[in-house]
Amino acid sequence: MSYVLAGASLSRLVLAHDCGDADSETLADAYSGRSEAEVEPGLRWFYCVGLGIALLCMSVISFCHVHKKFEGQRVTKRSRLGLRVAVVVVIICLPLAESLNSLQLVSTTTGLIGLVLAFDLYGCTYVGESFLRDGRKCKYWADCPRKRRRALEEAIKTGAMVNVEELAVDEKGYVPAP
């Protein structure tokens, strides 16, 4: 719902001609009548609080979700979530900066969301690997009992086809819960 609120207010923010070089006469006829010379404070609050709550909800979901943990992660999950919450506070407080026009408001929120995205992507990578793809194939590993591991390693050495579903079934015929 908060994305809907932010999106609806964004559709009105982009029509405003409160920037110094914006001219309502250059808009199409359908939009020139709806263009405003000044953005109402309520519209600013709807946009920023909508985006802030959406990002906060995504942070709560990420906090509750159990991620795969691996040694050598560049930035911990808690640190990444800390940045998200800090950005939420900044975005929600942006309407208090009345000197920002509509273009500056939208570009500031876009930049902050981009910062969070870039930091999350960078933080989820492995320290020993290049941040950008370096041409090597991805490596996957899993913990499994020794008997299955030996059979799996033997199948890999011989180039045989491995049925992962068969490997997942234990001695009693049960598939372990994830």
Side-chain angles (χ1 to χ4, degrees), residues 113-164:
I113 299 291
L115 170 73
V116 168
L117 175 65
F119 190 70
D120 273 350
L121 289 175
Y122 178 77
C124 287
T125 58
Y126 179 66
V127 173
E129 298 285 328
S130 170
F131 178 66
L132 301 173
R133 196 147 163 99
D134 58 359
R136 292 185 288 167
K137 291 185 178 182
C138 295
K139 297 178 185 176
Y140 297 95
W141 65 91
D143 292 328
C144 58
R146 287 185 182 166
K147 290 180 183 178
R148 288 195 201 119
R149 187 179 326 153
R150 286 188 199 123
L152 183 60
E153 288 172 351
E154 191 61 37
I156 290 172
K157 287 178 185 176
T158 61
M161 190 67 116
V162 177
N163 187 347
V164 179

mmCIF file of all heavy atoms in Angstrom, residues 113-164:
data_model
loop_
_atom_site.group_PDB
_atom_site.id
_atom_site.type_symbol
_atom_site.label_atom_id
_atom_site.label_comp_id
_atom_site.label_asym_id
_atom_site.label_seq_id
_atom_site.Cartn_x
_atom_site.Cartn_y
_atom_site.Cartn_z
ATOM 1 N N ILE A 113 17.780 5.488 -2.556
ATOM 2 C CA ILE A 113 17.390 4.102 -2.839
ATOM 3 C C ILE A 113 18.494 3.410 -3.643
ATOM 4 O O ILE A 113 18.812 2.237 -3.406
ATOM 5 C CB ILE A 113 16.040 4.046 -3.593
ATOM 6 C CG1 ILE A 113 14.927 4.658 -2.761
ATOM 7 C CG2 ILE A 113 15.707 2.631 -4.012
ATOM 8 C CD1 ILE A 113 14.537 3.889 -1.532
ATOM 9 N N GLY A 114 19.091 4.111 -4.577
ATOM 10 C CA GLY A 114 20.219 3.555 -5.340
ATOM 11 C C GLY A 114 21.411 3.234 -4.447
ATOM 12 O O GLY A 114 22.089 2.215 -4.635
ATOM 13 N N LEU A 115 21.676 4.089 -3.462
ATOM 14 C CA LEU A 115 22.755 3.841 -2.503
ATOM 15 C C LEU A 115 22.494 2.559 -1.717
ATOM 16 O O LEU A 115 23.392 1.731 -1.553
ATOM 17 C CB LEU A 115 22.897 5.019 -1.543
ATOM 18 C CG LEU A 115 23.817 4.810 -0.345
ATOM 19 C CD1 LEU A 115 25.264 4.822 -0.794
ATOM 20 C CD2 LEU A 115 23.555 5.850 0.719
ATOM 21 N N VAL A 116 21.263 2.392 -1.255
ATOM 22 C CA VAL A 116 20.909 1.182 -0.506
ATOM 23 C C VAL A 116 21.076 -0.056 -1.382
ATOM 24 O O VAL A 116 21.635 -1.071 -0.949
ATOM 25 C CB VAL A 116 19.465 1.283 0.045
ATOM 26 C CG1 VAL A 116 18.976 -0.054 0.563
ATOM 27 C CG2 VAL A 116 19.388 2.329 1.129
ATOM 28 N N LEU A 117 20.626 0.023 -2.614
ATOM 29 C CA LEU A 117 20.746 -1.106 -3.530
ATOM 30 C C LEU A 117 22.206 -1.460 -3.781
ATOM 31 O O LEU A 117 22.602 -2.625 -3.694
ATOM 32 C CB LEU A 117 20.040 -0.797 -4.850
ATOM 33 C CG LEU A 117 20.197 -1.847 -5.950
ATOM 34 C CD1 LEU A 117 19.534 -3.148 -5.535
ATOM 35 C CD2 LEU A 117 19.630 -1.334 -7.254
ATOM 36 N N ALA A 118 23.027 -0.457 -4.093
ATOM 37 C CA ALA A 118 24.443 -0.710 -4.363
ATOM 38 C C ALA A 118 25.151 -1.277 -3.133
ATOM 39 O O ALA A 118 25.964 -2.202 -3.241
ATOM 40 C CB ALA A 118 25.124 0.584 -4.817
ATOM 41 N N PHE A 119 24.831 -0.747 -1.959
ATOM 42 C CA PHE A 119 25.461 -1.231 -0.726
ATOM 43 C C PHE A 119 25.048 -2.670 -0.437
ATOM 44 O O PHE A 119 25.870 -3.491 -0.015
ATOM 45 C CB PHE A 119 25.086 -0.317 0.446
ATOM 46 C CG PHE A 119 25.856 -0.593 1.695
ATOM 47 C CD1 PHE A 119 27.204 -0.295 1.779
ATOM 48 C CD2 PHE A 119 25.229 -1.148 2.801
ATOM 49 C CE1 PHE A 119 27.919 -0.552 2.938
ATOM 50 C CE2 PHE A 119 25.933 -1.406 3.956
ATOM 51 C CZ PHE A 119 27.284 -1.107 4.035
ATOM 52 N N ASP A 120 23.779 -3.010 -0.672
ATOM 53 C CA ASP A 120 23.316 -4.387 -0.473
ATOM 54 C C ASP A 120 24.000 -5.339 -1.444
ATOM 55 O O ASP A 120 24.430 -6.426 -1.058
ATOM 56 C CB ASP A 120 21.809 -4.495 -0.634
ATOM 57 C CG ASP A 120 21.057 -4.218 0.647
ATOM 58 O OD1 ASP A 120 21.711 -4.120 1.705
ATOM 59 O OD2 ASP A 120 19.827 -4.106 0.603
ATOM 60 N N LEU A 121 24.079 -4.945 -2.703
ATOM 61 C CA LEU A 121 24.727 -5.813 -3.686
ATOM 62 C C LEU A 121 26.204 -6.005 -3.364
ATOM 63 O O LEU A 121 26.730 -7.111 -3.454
ATOM 64 C CB LEU A 121 24.569 -5.234 -5.091
ATOM 65 C CG LEU A 121 23.168 -5.285 -5.681
ATOM 66 C CD1 LEU A 121 23.130 -4.572 -7.015
ATOM 67 C CD2 LEU A 121 22.704 -6.717 -5.819
ATOM 68 N N TYR A 122 26.876 -4.934 -3.004
ATOM 69 C CA TYR A 122 28.283 -5.031 -2.649
ATOM 70 C C TYR A 122 28.469 -5.845 -1.369
ATOM 71 O O TYR A 122 29.362 -6.677 -1.276
ATOM 72 C CB TYR A 122 28.874 -3.625 -2.461
ATOM 73 C CG TYR A 122 30.317 -3.628 -2.043
ATOM 74 C CD1 TYR A 122 31.315 -3.889 -2.963
ATOM 75 C CD2 TYR A 122 30.673 -3.378 -0.730
ATOM 76 C CE1 TYR A 122 32.654 -3.904 -2.580
ATOM 77 C CE2 TYR A 122 32.000 -3.394 -0.332
ATOM 78 C CZ TYR A 122 32.983 -3.652 -1.259
ATOM 79 O OH TYR A 122 34.290 -3.676 -0.874
ATOM 80 N N GLY A 123 27.624 -5.627 -0.389
ATOM 81 C CA GLY A 123 27.764 -6.298 0.898
ATOM 82 C C GLY A 123 27.481 -7.783 0.854
ATOM 83 O O GLY A 123 27.969 -8.537 1.690
ATOM 84 N N CYS A 124 26.706 -8.234 -0.121
ATOM 85 C CA CYS A 124 26.370 -9.659 -0.222
ATOM 86 C C CYS A 124 27.434 -10.475 -0.936
ATOM 87 O O CYS A 124 27.304 -11.685 -1.049
ATOM 88 C CB CYS A 124 25.050 -9.828 -0.962
ATOM 89 S SG CYS A 124 23.627 -9.334 0.007
ATOM 90 N N THR A 125 28.468 -9.839 -1.415
ATOM 91 C CA THR A 125 29.486 -10.572 -2.156
ATOM 92 C C THR A 125 30.598 -11.057 -1.238
ATOM 93 O O THR A 125 30.732 -10.621 -0.102
ATOM 94 C CB THR A 125 30.088 -9.698 -3.272
ATOM 95 O OG1 THR A 125 30.636 -8.512 -2.686
ATOM 96 C CG2 THR A 125 29.038 -9.319 -4.294
ATOM 97 N N TYR A 126 31.410 -11.935 -1.746
ATOM 98 C CA TYR A 126 32.501 -12.560 -1.017
ATOM 99 C C TYR A 126 33.762 -11.698 -1.137
ATOM 100 O O TYR A 126 34.082 -11.196 -2.205
ATOM 101 C CB TYR A 126 32.732 -13.964 -1.591
ATOM 102 C CG TYR A 126 33.847 -14.730 -0.966
ATOM 103 C CD1 TYR A 126 33.789 -15.150 0.352
ATOM 104 C CD2 TYR A 126 34.978 -15.047 -1.698
ATOM 105 C CE1 TYR A 126 34.815 -15.866 0.930
ATOM 106 C CE2 TYR A 126 36.012 -15.766 -1.126
ATOM 107 C CZ TYR A 126 35.927 -16.174 0.181
ATOM 108 O OH TYR A 126 36.942 -16.872 0.750
ATOM 109 N N VAL A 127 34.486 -11.571 -0.026
ATOM 110 C CA VAL A 127 35.676 -10.715 0.005
ATOM 111 C C VAL A 127 36.735 -11.182 -0.987
ATOM 112 O O VAL A 127 37.378 -10.383 -1.659
ATOM 113 C CB VAL A 127 36.269 -10.672 1.439
ATOM 114 C CG1 VAL A 127 37.594 -9.946 1.453
ATOM 115 C CG2 VAL A 127 35.306 -10.006 2.383
ATOM 116 N N GLY A 128 36.907 -12.491 -1.122
ATOM 117 C CA GLY A 128 37.952 -13.022 -1.995
ATOM 118 C C GLY A 128 37.629 -12.958 -3.474
ATOM 119 O O GLY A 128 38.485 -13.218 -4.307
ATOM 120 N N GLU A 129 36.427 -12.614 -3.826
ATOM 121 C CA GLU A 129 36.005 -12.571 -5.224
ATOM 122 C C GLU A 129 35.930 -11.134 -5.708
ATOM 123 O O GLU A 129 35.778 -10.206 -4.935
ATOM 124 C CB GLU A 129 34.619 -13.216 -5.372
ATOM 125 C CG GLU A 129 34.564 -14.669 -4.988
ATOM 126 C CD GLU A 129 35.195 -15.576 -6.025
ATOM 127 O OE1 GLU A 129 35.122 -15.247 -7.218
ATOM 128 O OE2 GLU A 129 35.770 -16.594 -5.628
ATOM 129 N N SER A 130 35.996 -10.990 -7.013
ATOM 130 C CA SER A 130 35.821 -9.683 -7.622
ATOM 131 C C SER A 130 34.360 -9.276 -7.489
ATOM 132 O O SER A 130 33.469 -10.125 -7.569
ATOM 133 C CB SER A 130 36.214 -9.746 -9.094
ATOM 134 O OG SER A 130 35.846 -8.556 -9.747
ATOM 135 N N PHE A 131 34.110 -7.998 -7.278
ATOM 136 C CA PHE A 131 32.722 -7.540 -7.177
ATOM 137 C C PHE A 131 32.007 -7.746 -8.500
ATOM 138 O O PHE A 131 30.869 -8.163 -8.552
ATOM 139 C CB PHE A 131 32.671 -6.072 -6.763
ATOM 140 C CG PHE A 131 31.284 -5.520 -6.694
ATOM 141 C CD1 PHE A 131 30.388 -5.989 -5.752
ATOM 142 C CD2 PHE A 131 30.861 -4.548 -7.571
ATOM 143 C CE1 PHE A 131 29.092 -5.503 -5.686
ATOM 144 C CE2 PHE A 131 29.577 -4.046 -7.510
ATOM 145 C CZ PHE A 131 28.698 -4.525 -6.562
ATOM 146 N N LEU A 132 32.696 -7.467 -9.578
ATOM 147 C CA LEU A 132 32.133 -7.702 -10.900
ATOM 148 C C LEU A 132 32.528 -9.098 -11.350
ATOM 149 O O LEU A 132 33.526 -9.656 -10.908
ATOM 150 C CB LEU A 132 32.643 -6.658 -11.889
ATOM 151 C CG LEU A 132 32.318 -5.214 -11.502
ATOM 152 C CD1 LEU A 132 32.993 -4.262 -12.444
ATOM 153 C CD2 LEU A 132 30.823 -4.991 -11.487
ATOM 154 N N ARG A 133 31.797 -9.654 -12.237
ATOM 155 C CA ARG A 133 32.046 -11.024 -12.694
ATOM 156 C C ARG A 133 33.426 -11.100 -13.340
ATOM 157 O O ARG A 133 33.792 -10.274 -14.163
ATOM 158 C CB ARG A 133 30.974 -11.424 -13.684
ATOM 159 C CG ARG A 133 30.955 -12.869 -13.879
ATOM 160 C CD ARG A 133 29.548 -13.335 -14.137
ATOM 161 N NE ARG A 133 29.663 -14.644 -14.707
ATOM 162 C CZ ARG A 133 29.505 -15.736 -13.993
ATOM 163 N NH1 ARG A 133 29.161 -15.661 -12.754
ATOM 164 N NH2 ARG A 133 29.650 -16.901 -14.543
ATOM 165 N N ASP A 134 34.188 -12.144 -12.973
ATOM 166 C CA ASP A 134 35.545 -12.271 -13.495
ATOM 167 C C ASP A 134 35.710 -13.420 -14.488
ATOM 168 O O ASP A 134 36.817 -13.799 -14.827
ATOM 169 C CB ASP A 134 36.538 -12.425 -12.343
ATOM 170 C CG ASP A 134 36.242 -13.628 -11.464
ATOM 171 O OD1 ASP A 134 35.265 -14.324 -11.744
ATOM 172 O OD2 ASP A 134 37.001 -13.843 -10.512
ATOM 173 N N GLY A 135 34.621 -14.002 -14.945
ATOM 174 C CA GLY A 135 34.693 -15.031 -15.965
ATOM 175 C C GLY A 135 34.750 -16.451 -15.425
ATOM 176 O O GLY A 135 34.590 -17.402 -16.173
ATOM 177 N N ARG A 136 34.996 -16.621 -14.132
ATOM 178 C CA ARG A 136 35.035 -17.969 -13.573
ATOM 179 C C ARG A 136 33.619 -18.456 -13.313
ATOM 180 O O ARG A 136 32.716 -17.672 -13.060
ATOM 181 C CB ARG A 136 35.834 -17.992 -12.272
ATOM 182 C CG ARG A 136 37.314 -17.735 -12.508
ATOM 183 C CD ARG A 136 38.078 -17.897 -11.231
ATOM 184 N NE ARG A 136 37.763 -16.745 -10.376
ATOM 185 C CZ ARG A 136 38.059 -16.688 -9.096
ATOM 186 N NH1 ARG A 136 38.652 -17.696 -8.507
ATOM 187 N NH2 ARG A 136 37.755 -15.624 -8.384
ATOM 188 N N LYS A 137 33.448 -19.787 -13.342
ATOM 189 C CA LYS A 137 32.143 -20.368 -13.059
ATOM 190 C C LYS A 137 31.858 -20.290 -11.562
ATOM 191 O O LYS A 137 32.763 -20.290 -10.746
ATOM 192 C CB LYS A 137 32.102 -21.821 -13.509
ATOM 193 C CG LYS A 137 32.136 -21.971 -15.006
ATOM 194 C CD LYS A 137 31.966 -23.417 -15.385
ATOM 195 C CE LYS A 137 31.943 -23.553 -16.890
ATOM 196 N NZ LYS A 137 31.726 -24.940 -17.293
ATOM 197 N N CYS A 138 30.598 -20.227 -11.229
ATOM 198 C CA CYS A 138 30.186 -20.209 -9.832
ATOM 199 C C CYS A 138 30.472 -21.571 -9.199
ATOM 200 O O CYS A 138 30.420 -22.605 -9.870
ATOM 201 C CB CYS A 138 28.692 -19.914 -9.708
ATOM 202 S SG CYS A 138 28.239 -18.283 -10.277
ATOM 203 N N LYS A 139 30.755 -21.545 -7.914
ATOM 204 C CA LYS A 139 31.003 -22.778 -7.179
ATOM 205 C C LYS A 139 29.914 -22.945 -6.136
ATOM 206 O O LYS A 139 29.558 -21.996 -5.466
ATOM 207 C CB LYS A 139 32.369 -22.726 -6.482
ATOM 208 C CG LYS A 139 33.526 -22.620 -7.437
ATOM 209 C CD LYS A 139 34.820 -22.522 -6.666
ATOM 210 C CE LYS A 139 35.981 -22.293 -7.601
ATOM 211 N NZ LYS A 139 37.230 -22.103 -6.884
ATOM 212 N N TYR A 140 29.410 -24.166 -6.015
ATOM 213 C CA TYR A 140 28.386 -24.474 -5.033
ATOM 214 C C TYR A 140 28.894 -25.598 -4.141
ATOM 215 O O TYR A 140 29.606 -26.482 -4.603
ATOM 216 C CB TYR A 140 27.087 -24.914 -5.711
ATOM 217 C CG TYR A 140 26.487 -23.836 -6.566
ATOM 218 C CD1 TYR A 140 26.734 -23.779 -7.931
ATOM 219 C CD2 TYR A 140 25.681 -22.865 -6.002
ATOM 220 C CE1 TYR A 140 26.195 -22.781 -8.711
ATOM 221 C CE2 TYR A 140 25.132 -21.856 -6.770
ATOM 222 C CZ TYR A 140 25.389 -21.832 -8.129
ATOM 223 O OH TYR A 140 24.849 -20.834 -8.889
ATOM 224 N N TRP A 141 28.520 -25.555 -2.893
ATOM 225 C CA TRP A 141 28.891 -26.633 -1.998
ATOM 226 C C TRP A 141 27.764 -26.855 -0.998
ATOM 227 O O TRP A 141 26.953 -25.982 -0.766
ATOM 228 C CB TRP A 141 30.209 -26.369 -1.277
ATOM 229 C CG TRP A 141 30.165 -25.214 -0.347
ATOM 230 C CD1 TRP A 141 29.858 -25.227 0.974
ATOM 231 C CD2 TRP A 141 30.414 -23.845 -0.655
ATOM 232 N NE1 TRP A 141 29.900 -23.960 1.504
ATOM 233 C CE2 TRP A 141 30.246 -23.097 0.522
ATOM 234 C CE3 TRP A 141 30.760 -23.173 -1.823
ATOM 235 C CZ2 TRP A 141 30.423 -21.735 0.564
ATOM 236 C CZ3 TRP A 141 30.939 -21.809 -1.765
ATOM 237 C CH2 TRP A 141 30.766 -21.117 -0.595
ATOM 238 N N ALA A 142 27.747 -28.074 -0.449
ATOM 239 C CA ALA A 142 26.718 -28.423 0.524
ATOM 240 C C ALA A 142 27.291 -29.454 1.488
ATOM 241 O O ALA A 142 28.232 -30.170 1.166
ATOM 242 C CB ALA A 142 25.495 -28.991 -0.175
ATOM 243 N N ASP A 143 26.725 -29.490 2.680
ATOM 244 C CA ASP A 143 27.113 -30.504 3.649
ATOM 245 C C ASP A 143 26.238 -31.730 3.420
ATOM 246 O O ASP A 143 25.019 -31.632 3.339
ATOM 247 C CB ASP A 143 26.904 -29.993 5.077
ATOM 248 C CG ASP A 143 27.863 -28.861 5.411
ATOM 249 O OD1 ASP A 143 28.983 -28.881 4.875
ATOM 250 O OD2 ASP A 143 27.478 -27.978 6.189
ATOM 251 N N CYS A 144 26.889 -32.904 3.321
ATOM 252 C CA CYS A 144 26.134 -34.141 3.190
ATOM 253 C C CYS A 144 26.924 -35.254 3.876
ATOM 254 O O CYS A 144 28.136 -35.139 4.074
ATOM 255 C CB CYS A 144 25.842 -34.474 1.733
ATOM 256 S SG CYS A 144 27.280 -34.629 0.690
ATOM 257 N N PRO A 145 26.240 -36.339 4.237
ATOM 258 C CA PRO A 145 26.937 -37.441 4.910
ATOM 259 C C PRO A 145 28.064 -38.006 4.044
ATOM 260 O O PRO A 145 28.056 -37.890 2.820
ATOM 261 C CB PRO A 145 25.836 -38.485 5.118
ATOM 262 C CG PRO A 145 24.563 -37.711 5.072
ATOM 263 C CD PRO A 145 24.812 -36.558 4.149
ATOM 264 N N ARG A 146 29.045 -38.648 4.685
ATOM 265 C CA ARG A 146 30.245 -39.128 3.986
ATOM 266 C C ARG A 146 29.919 -40.111 2.875
ATOM 267 O O ARG A 146 30.509 -40.060 1.804
ATOM 268 C CB ARG A 146 31.195 -39.773 4.987
ATOM 269 C CG ARG A 146 31.873 -38.757 5.847
ATOM 270 C CD ARG A 146 32.893 -39.401 6.740
ATOM 271 N NE ARG A 146 33.488 -38.381 7.590
ATOM 272 C CZ ARG A 146 34.195 -38.639 8.642
ATOM 273 N NH1 ARG A 146 34.421 -39.889 9.014
ATOM 274 N NH2 ARG A 146 34.708 -37.658 9.354
ATOM 275 N N LYS A 147 28.986 -41.042 3.120
ATOM 276 C CA LYS A 147 28.661 -42.041 2.100
ATOM 277 C C LYS A 147 28.149 -41.362 0.831
ATOM 278 O O LYS A 147 28.576 -41.676 -0.271
ATOM 279 C CB LYS A 147 27.591 -43.011 2.616
ATOM 280 C CG LYS A 147 28.079 -43.943 3.686
ATOM 281 C CD LYS A 147 26.940 -44.855 4.114
ATOM 282 C CE LYS A 147 27.384 -45.757 5.259
ATOM 283 N NZ LYS A 147 26.272 -46.610 5.719
ATOM 284 N N ARG A 148 27.254 -40.422 1.015
ATOM 285 C CA ARG A 148 26.713 -39.724 -0.152
ATOM 286 C C ARG A 148 27.771 -38.835 -0.800
ATOM 287 O O ARG A 148 27.802 -38.692 -2.012
ATOM 288 C CB ARG A 148 25.502 -38.880 0.254
ATOM 289 C CG ARG A 148 24.305 -39.719 0.570
ATOM 290 C CD ARG A 148 23.052 -38.876 0.607
ATOM 291 N NE ARG A 148 22.055 -39.589 1.367
ATOM 292 C CZ ARG A 148 21.493 -39.154 2.471
ATOM 293 N NH1 ARG A 148 21.795 -37.981 2.938
ATOM 294 N NH2 ARG A 148 20.607 -39.875 3.106
ATOM 295 N N ARG A 149 28.599 -38.223 0.019
ATOM 296 C CA ARG A 149 29.642 -37.360 -0.518
ATOM 297 C C ARG A 149 30.593 -38.170 -1.388
ATOM 298 O O ARG A 149 30.986 -37.727 -2.462
ATOM 299 C CB ARG A 149 30.411 -36.670 0.607
ATOM 300 C CG ARG A 149 31.387 -35.649 0.056
ATOM 301 C CD ARG A 149 32.174 -34.902 1.094
ATOM 302 N NE ARG A 149 31.443 -34.661 2.314
ATOM 303 C CZ ARG A 149 32.020 -34.515 3.496
ATOM 304 N NH1 ARG A 149 33.323 -34.593 3.611
ATOM 305 N NH2 ARG A 149 31.302 -34.293 4.567
ATOM 306 N N ARG A 150 31.001 -39.352 -0.912
ATOM 307 C CA ARG A 150 31.908 -40.191 -1.709
ATOM 308 C C ARG A 150 31.247 -40.586 -3.024
ATOM 309 O O ARG A 150 31.879 -40.550 -4.080
ATOM 310 C CB ARG A 150 32.289 -41.444 -0.913
ATOM 311 C CG ARG A 150 33.267 -41.164 0.189
ATOM 312 C CD ARG A 150 33.760 -42.456 0.815
ATOM 313 N NE ARG A 150 34.333 -42.166 2.116
ATOM 314 C CZ ARG A 150 33.954 -42.709 3.250
ATOM 315 N NH1 ARG A 150 33.010 -43.631 3.274
ATOM 316 N NH2 ARG A 150 34.524 -42.372 4.384
ATOM 317 N N ALA A 151 29.975 -40.968 -2.960
ATOM 318 C CA ALA A 151 29.265 -41.347 -4.176
ATOM 319 C C ALA A 151 29.147 -40.163 -5.125
ATOM 320 O O ALA A 151 29.313 -40.311 -6.347
ATOM 321 C CB ALA A 151 27.884 -41.886 -3.827
ATOM 322 N N LEU A 152 28.902 -39.001 -4.583
ATOM 323 C CA LEU A 152 28.785 -37.792 -5.394
ATOM 324 C C LEU A 152 30.119 -37.432 -6.034
ATOM 325 O O LEU A 152 30.198 -37.130 -7.224
ATOM 326 C CB LEU A 152 28.261 -36.633 -4.540
ATOM 327 C CG LEU A 152 28.020 -35.307 -5.230
ATOM 328 C CD1 LEU A 152 26.990 -35.459 -6.334
ATOM 329 C CD2 LEU A 152 27.573 -34.266 -4.234
ATOM 330 N N GLU A 153 31.202 -37.478 -5.248
ATOM 331 C CA GLU A 153 32.530 -37.175 -5.785
ATOM 332 C C GLU A 153 32.929 -38.167 -6.865
ATOM 333 O O GLU A 153 33.521 -37.793 -7.880
ATOM 334 C CB GLU A 153 33.552 -37.158 -4.654
ATOM 335 C CG GLU A 153 33.415 -35.954 -3.746
ATOM 336 C CD GLU A 153 34.298 -36.029 -2.509
ATOM 337 O OE1 GLU A 153 34.901 -37.102 -2.255
ATOM 338 O OE2 GLU A 153 34.386 -35.020 -1.793
ATOM 339 N N GLU A 154 32.597 -39.440 -6.666
ATOM 340 C CA GLU A 154 32.905 -40.466 -7.665
ATOM 341 C C GLU A 154 32.127 -40.211 -8.953
ATOM 342 O O GLU A 154 32.661 -40.353 -10.049
ATOM 343 C CB GLU A 154 32.579 -41.854 -7.105
ATOM 344 C CG GLU A 154 33.101 -42.981 -7.940
ATOM 345 C CD GLU A 154 34.627 -42.982 -8.073
ATOM 346 O OE1 GLU A 154 35.328 -42.644 -7.096
ATOM 347 O OE2 GLU A 154 35.122 -43.310 -9.164
ATOM 348 N N ALA A 155 30.859 -39.835 -8.817
ATOM 349 C CA ALA A 155 30.042 -39.552 -9.992
ATOM 350 C C ALA A 155 30.577 -38.337 -10.746
ATOM 351 O O ALA A 155 30.577 -38.319 -11.980
ATOM 352 C CB ALA A 155 28.595 -39.321 -9.571
ATOM 353 N N ILE A 156 31.071 -37.362 -10.020
ATOM 354 C CA ILE A 156 31.621 -36.169 -10.671
ATOM 355 C C ILE A 156 32.900 -36.522 -11.418
ATOM 356 O O ILE A 156 33.129 -36.066 -12.539
ATOM 357 C CB ILE A 156 31.860 -35.052 -9.634
ATOM 358 C CG1 ILE A 156 30.513 -34.523 -9.142
ATOM 359 C CG2 ILE A 156 32.692 -33.921 -10.227
ATOM 360 C CD1 ILE A 156 30.628 -33.565 -7.980
ATOM 361 N N LYS A 157 33.756 -37.352 -10.802
ATOM 362 C CA LYS A 157 35.016 -37.746 -11.436
ATOM 363 C C LYS A 157 34.770 -38.531 -12.720
ATOM 364 O O LYS A 157 35.476 -38.359 -13.701
ATOM 365 C CB LYS A 157 35.856 -38.581 -10.480
ATOM 366 C CG LYS A 157 36.473 -37.767 -9.373
ATOM 367 C CD LYS A 157 37.265 -38.655 -8.428
ATOM 368 C CE LYS A 157 37.785 -37.853 -7.246
ATOM 369 N NZ LYS A 157 38.473 -38.719 -6.268
ATOM 370 N N THR A 158 33.768 -39.396 -12.683
ATOM 371 C CA THR A 158 33.494 -40.222 -13.862
ATOM 372 C C THR A 158 32.612 -39.513 -14.881
ATOM 373 O O THR A 158 32.448 -39.991 -15.995
ATOM 374 C CB THR A 158 32.812 -41.549 -13.447
ATOM 375 O OG1 THR A 158 31.570 -41.253 -12.803
ATOM 376 C CG2 THR A 158 33.713 -42.362 -12.546
ATOM 377 N N GLY A 159 32.036 -38.404 -14.492
ATOM 378 C CA GLY A 159 31.179 -37.653 -15.405
ATOM 379 C C GLY A 159 29.778 -38.212 -15.497
ATOM 380 O O GLY A 159 29.047 -37.921 -16.440
ATOM 381 N N ALA A 160 29.395 -39.019 -14.525
ATOM 382 C CA ALA A 160 28.071 -39.629 -14.526
ATOM 383 C C ALA A 160 27.009 -38.601 -14.152
ATOM 384 O O ALA A 160 27.298 -37.587 -13.513
ATOM 385 C CB ALA A 160 28.032 -40.796 -13.538
ATOM 386 N N MET A 161 25.795 -38.897 -14.551
ATOM 387 C CA MET A 161 24.672 -38.027 -14.222
ATOM 388 C C MET A 161 24.290 -38.246 -12.757
ATOM 389 O O MET A 161 24.223 -39.380 -12.299
ATOM 390 C CB MET A 161 23.476 -38.362 -15.120
ATOM 391 C CG MET A 161 22.381 -37.367 -15.018
ATOM 392 S SD MET A 161 22.937 -35.814 -15.677
ATOM 393 C CE MET A 161 21.863 -35.632 -17.035
ATOM 394 N N VAL A 162 24.046 -37.166 -12.027
ATOM 395 C CA VAL A 162 23.713 -37.245 -10.606
ATOM 396 C C VAL A 162 22.268 -36.802 -10.428
ATOM 397 O O VAL A 162 21.887 -35.721 -10.875
ATOM 398 C CB VAL A 162 24.653 -36.340 -9.771
ATOM 399 C CG1 VAL A 162 24.258 -36.379 -8.313
ATOM 400 C CG2 VAL A 162 26.087 -36.741 -9.968
ATOM 401 N N ASN A 163 21.485 -37.625 -9.756
ATOM 402 C CA ASN A 163 20.102 -37.285 -9.449
ATOM 403 C C ASN A 163 20.083 -36.699 -8.034
ATOM 404 O O ASN A 163 20.251 -37.415 -7.053
ATOM 405 C CB ASN A 163 19.204 -38.523 -9.533
ATOM 406 C CG ASN A 163 17.741 -38.164 -9.374
ATOM 407 O OD1 ASN A 163 17.398 -37.055 -8.971
ATOM 408 N ND2 ASN A 163 16.880 -39.101 -9.690
ATOM 409 N N VAL A 164 19.880 -35.431 -7.925
ATOM 410 C CA VAL A 164 19.932 -34.739 -6.642
ATOM 411 C C VAL A 164 18.803 -35.191 -5.727
ATOM 412 O O VAL A 164 18.966 -35.264 -4.513
ATOM 413 C CB VAL A 164 19.886 -33.208 -6.857
ATOM 414 C CG1 VAL A 164 19.921 -32.476 -5.542
ATOM 415 C CG2 VAL A 164 21.027 -32.765 -7.740
#
